[in-house]
Amino acid sequence: MTARVPAKLNLQLAVGPPRADGYHGLVTVFHAVSLFDEVTVEPAAQDTVSVTGEGADRVPEDGDNLALRAVAALRAALPRRAAQPGGVQVTIAKRIPVAAGLAGGSADAAAALVACNELWASGFSQPRLAEVAATVGSDVAFALVGGTAVGRGRGEQLTPALVPSTQYYWVLAFADGQLSTPAVYTALDRLRASGPGKTAGPGKTAGPGKTAPGDPDLDAALMSALRSGDAVRVGGRLSNDLQPAALSLFPALRKTLAAGLELGALGALVAGSGPTCAFLAANAERALDLAVSLSGAGVCRSVARVAGPVPGAAVVTAG
Ligand code: C5P
């Protein structure tokens, strides 16, 4: 049983202060894009995972693997009276780079959930699967639903964005290196502690009616731009509170972002916790031009053209 699952971008990522549980409250606009991993699950004596493709050597193949954790979480969530399924061999074919800010590990977990739900005929609805997903990681529930959606809490509380299904054309610039998500959040806390105001984004400032200073807000101007379907307006409202932290840990990304904007991108931002940079293009043709120019500019390891939004994790073959 094979499921295909997309990478994600955050068109807005507004991060609040750290919570008591160590996570950061956030408001984000998730956007699934057409860069896919494929995850196959087959019955086996015990749960094992093997990984091929982009960055495969950097994906853990033990209990830390998010897809394996998703398999275990789904098994544990099955009703006691149901026949308990045996082990599964999970095979992940990666095209989403590892530790790149594109939620590739979360995507693989979501695909494993969808594939095992089918293999075991568990019959979990998408909302029920999303509850299991949220226990595996903050971005896993979104990888199940895909499209464009607003995430709150740790990112796991999702509401549909209610925007038209306009296609947006993106160029992704993959970096020569990785960033650890916890390290980027820690760097953000440090930057904020040392220089108030330095990392202000559209969602960060406390305003009237707020429950606590620094609670993040959904960017109304971004949502209005998305409702209009106007890529120029969307490009002007992309924002990521994690970007200054990612840049502090990976200064070379400044050059990548500047190059993309100089080459005509409508907007540019670091994807999630980085180090991938995402550039919005006016249309498919401009995206091709931008991809060619960016790869010639020597400011990244490689580039990919993707479109969004695309649907979330789905079974592709019942093999
Ligand atoms: O939930 P997930 O395992 O994907 O998160 C990875 C790490 O990113 C967390 O351990 C935490 O350090 C950081 N994080 C956070 N606030 C969030 C999401 C993630 O601090 N909302």
Side-chain angles (χ1 to χ4, degrees):
M1 191 71 64
T2 299
R4 192 175 85 140
V5 63
K8 63 86 187 149
L9 297 175
N10 304 82
L11 308 186
Q12 180 192 8
L13 180 48
V15 181
R19 311 191 308 202
D21 64 3
Y23 285 90
H24 294 70
L26 52 83
V27 173
T28 188
V29 179
F30 285 117
H31 182 72
V33 293
S34 59
L35 178 67
F36 299 98
D37 279 358
E38 281 196 357
V39 176
T40 301
V41 298
E42 298 158 285
Q46 56 184 16
D47 290 350
T48 53
V49 63
S50 67
V51 188
T52 61
E54 170 83 34
D57 52 331
R58 292 188 297 271
V59 180
E61 294 193 348
D62 55 17
D64 283 344
N65 184 285
L66 281 185
L68 276 190
R69 282 170 45 194
V71 170
L74 182 61
R75 191 184 284 115
L78 295 173
R80 279 174 199 275
R81 55 187 157 67
Q84 290 300 299
V88 287
Q89 160 70 35
V90 179
T91 309
I92 304 174
K94 288 210 67 68
R95 287 186 57 219
I96 307 172
V98 177
L102 299 166
S106 300
D108 299 340
L113 285 177
V114 164
C116 283
N117 189 39
E118 201 72 19
L119 180 71
W120 297 338
S122 320
F124 278 31
S125 63
Q126 195 181 71
R128 181 75 186 97
L129 277 184
E131 282 173 23
V132 179
T135 68
V136 181
S138 307
D139 294 335
V140 183
F142 174 70
L144 283 177
V145 300
T148 303
V150 176
R152 290 193 169 80
R154 292 185 286 127
E156 85 290 9
Q157 296 164 20
L158 297 174
T159 45
L162 301 178
V163 293
S165 57
T166 314
Q167 281 283 294
Y168 295 96
Y169 298 90
W170 300 90
V171 176
L172 305 180
F174 302 130
D176 222 343
Q178 301 179 306
L179 281 173
S180 134
T181 301
V184 175
Y185 275 100
T186 303
L188 176 66
D189 294 339
R190 214 172 36 231
L191 281 177
R192 284 178 169 174
S194 65
K198 277 188 185 160
T199 60
K204 194 181 156 273
T205 329
K210 293 296 201 60
T211 50
D215 266 2
D217 266 343
L218 185 61
D219 179 10
L222 172 66
M223 297 313 289
S224 156
L226 286 168
R227 278 192 295 274
S228 76
D230 180 346
V232 174
R233 286 182 59 195
V234 172
R237 290 309 301 186
L238 302 173
S239 70
N240 179 0
D241 282 2
L242 289 180
Q243 185 163 307
L247 292 177
S248 76
L249 297 173
F250 207 133
L253 300 181
R254 283 181 202 284
K255 230 174 144 180
T256 313
L257 291 170
L261 288 170
E262 259 164 49
L263 292 166
L266 302 178
L269 87 175
V270 169
S273 55
T276 304
C277 293
F279 302 94
L280 182 59
N283 54 42
E285 206 182 338
R286 289 285 167 82
L288 178 57
D289 291 344
L290 181 58
V292 170
S293 311
L294 259 182
S295 65
V299 291
C300 56
R301 174 172 61 82
S302 61
V303 299
R305 279 180 301 135
V306 298
V310 295
V315 165
V316 287
T317 52

